[in-house]
Amino acid sequence: MLKGSCLCGAITFTAGGLARDPAACHCSQCRKQSGHYWASVQVLDENLTISGSPRWYAASETARRGFCPTCGSFLFWKGQDDPDTGVALGALEAPTGLRLERHIFTADKGDYYEIADQVRKEEQET
């Protein structure tokens, strides 16, 4: 069971079941919303319980982003018609037992940093 919260604690969540595809997204939207790149893990919606009332922002026609309206923590990413939700790895309580499996949208990464680890890199998401 994964547990997490926003910075102020107004939003808490638990995720049971299998957490899959821990990834770091370097797209411009994730960088602008998070201030750098955003790391998340996918959990099935049926296994995700959210307490509190996140605000949802429609970042595009195909996805929305959930955040705490009090402290602004970016917590969730939800693709339209996806059966799962991306949950912020940085919002999870340790230990998570998770490790990044890939970096996505690396072609769009900021010019101020390098990706120096040995985790798989994808210019676009596959």
Side-chain angles (χ1 to χ4, degrees):
M1 176 75 63
L2 297 173
K3 296 179 181 182
S5 68
C6 64
L7 180 61
C8 72
I11 308 290
T12 60
F13 58 90
T14 58
L18 178 66
R20 64 174 189 79
D21 194 25
C25 184
H26 299 265
C27 79
S28 62
Q29 284 188 3
C30 282
R31 286 189 296 107
K32 286 182 183 226
Q33 183 150 17
S34 71
H36 194 34
Y37 59 84
W38 192 61
S40 65
V41 65
Q42 298 299 117
V43 296
L44 286 172
D45 291 343
E46 64 194 40
N47 297 330
L48 179 62
T49 302
I50 300 171
S51 297
S53 299
R55 297 253 338 249
W56 290 91
Y57 171 69
S60 71
E61 291 181 10
T62 60
R64 61 190 181 134
R65 296 160 181 273
F67 63 96
C68 175
T70 302
C71 67
S73 295
F74 172 24
L75 300 169
F76 310 109
W77 186 93
K78 178 74 178 151
Q80 183 179 352
D81 301 324
D82 284 349
D84 50 20
T85 296
V87 174
L89 285 172
L92 296 175
E93 296 175 15
T96 65
L98 301 168
R99 292 286 178 259
L100 282 182
E101 294 178 3
R102 63 190 183 129
H103 291 274
I104 60 175
F105 294 103
T106 59
D108 201 25
K109 77 168 198 60
D111 64 357
Y112 58 90
Y113 66 96
E114 296 301 321
I115 304 171
D117 61 26
Q118 300 305 310
V119 176
R120 184 175 79 225
K121 296 158 187 65
E122 300 172 11
E123 288 190 4
Q124 301 295 327
E125 184 177 26
T126 57

